[in-house]
Amino acid sequence: DTGVSQDPRHKITKRGQNVTFRCDPISEHNRLYWYRQTLGQGPEFLTYFQNEAQLEKSRLLSDRFSAERPKGSFSTLEIQRTEQGDSAMYLCASSFTYRVGKVSYNEQFFGPGTRLTVL
Amino acid sequence: GESVGLHLPTLSVQEGDNSIINCAYSNSASDYFIWYKQESGKGPQFIIDIRSNMDKRQGQRVTVLLNKTVKHLSLQIAATQPGDSAVYFCAELMNTGFQKLVFGTGTRLLSVQ
């Protein structure tokens, strides 16, 4: 257990429905990331937050996807009008970025993921 | 039909033998690399990292080697155990305005008796 939790762990939905996932990062971590992972592939970056600010979004994140981190703590990822191609594992990670001299450290700790199946 | 992506490279190793998992990375400007282990149904778990100013770093039973000339990373696991069976990913931290982790293709390690 890394200390990052995600809810739900599994979600089955019908095409066209909206779904929302939640991530609770390690409490002192200022950065939070969302990734998507399909079977047999490595995680692909979707978006990231520094505190409550969403600073980067991948081109993978279509306009049907929205992520929030309202108080700089937990985050939600919503997918509207789900499609079968959205079926994947959605992973959340958190990190605390710090510097020692010129070197920055940013180890990301991953949650267990939410497996989405769109029928 | 089946996706090519489902056919992960698989390494079968006798229990007690050493394992070597290889990875090629893409960006010569990346300066930080991480190996992750992912067990079925779980998120990736940090194993070991290395910075580009190093060639080798050792942990407990694991060693990472970095060859910047050919953009190659390897993970060596000593005395492979059944609990080491998992999918292993290398990741590079790209500085593209912010630090973005890019994962390579995974390798499935099977420890067999």
Side-chain angles (χ1 to χ4, degrees):
Chain A
D1 182 3
T2 62
V4 179
S5 61
Q6 292 187 245
D7 183 68
R9 295 292 308 277
H10 302 273
K11 179 71 177 178
I12 300 173
T13 191
K14 291 183 179 177
R15 190 176 53 185
Q17 297 295 304
N18 299 344
V19 294
T20 300
F21 310 140
R22 176 178 170 126
C23 171
D24 286 90
I26 294 171
S27 58
E28 61 267 26
H29 283 185
N30 57 351
R31 289 190 178 182
L32 186 148
Y33 309 78
W34 285 98
Y35 292 84
R36 180 170 68 188
Q37 186 176 27
T38 53
L39 200 60
Q41 302 294 317
E44 295 175 291
F45 169 80
L46 292 178
T47 189
Y48 114 97
F49 293 83
Q50 176 138 328
N51 301 312
E52 66 275 9
Q54 187 174 17
L55 297 185
E56 186 77 17
K57 289 196 286 188
S58 162
R59 283 173 291 179
L60 291 175
L61 214 67
S62 77
D63 56 8
R64 296 185 297 106
F65 287 69
S66 62
E68 293 183 343
R69 194 183 183 198
K71 297 180 182 178
S73 56
F74 74 92
S75 176
T76 58
L77 177 68
E78 181 183 15
I79 309 174
Q80 295 182 324
R81 306 180 303 281
T82 52
E83 301 172 356
Q84 287 183 323
D86 297 332
S87 296
M89 173 80 87
Y90 289 85
L91 292 161
C92 173
S94 71
S95 71
F96 181 72
T97 303
Y98 62 98
R99 253 180 209 284
V100 177
K102 292 183 181 180
V103 180
S104 64
Y105 294 84
N106 183 21
E107 182 186 331
Q108 295 184 25
F109 293 84
F110 283 82
T114 295
R115 180 165 294 287
L116 173 66
T117 302
V118 182
L119 302 175
Chain B
E2 272 193 338
S3 163
V4 170
L6 291 175
H7 296 288
L8 277 174
T10 299
L11 178 68
S12 292
V13 176
Q14 282 288 120
E15 189 179 331
D17 285 355
N18 297 337
S19 304
I20 300 176
I21 301 171
N22 296 304
C23 174
Y25 64 91
S26 59
N27 189 340
S28 55
S30 294
D31 61 1
Y32 182 53
F33 306 90
I34 309 164
W35 278 100
Y36 284 91
K37 172 186 180 183
Q38 188 171 26
E39 296 173 286
S40 182
K42 296 185 179 180
Q45 176 189 358
F46 174 93
I47 303 174
I48 191 167
D49 59 358
I50 188 167
R51 296 201 168 268
S52 58
N53 60 352
M54 303 171 72
D55 297 322
K56 178 179 178 179
R57 189 159 188 231
Q58 287 184 292
Q60 191 175 17
R61 284 203 306 119
V62 293
T63 301
V64 54
L65 299 177
L66 174 62
N67 184 331
K68 295 181 286 293
T69 304
V70 294
K71 294 190 288 186
H72 182 267
L73 272 170
S74 68
L75 177 70
Q76 300 177 2
I77 302 173
T80 308
Q81 301 169 359
D84 294 327
S85 296
V87 178
Y88 290 80
F89 293 98
C90 68
E92 58 185 301
L93 197 66
M94 289 193 181
N95 284 301
T96 54
F98 80 103
Q99 293 176 322
K100 170 181 166 179
L101 263 185
V102 176
F103 285 78
T105 305
T107 297
R108 187 184 308 280
L109 175 66
L110 287 175
S111 174
V112 297
Q113 289 188 320

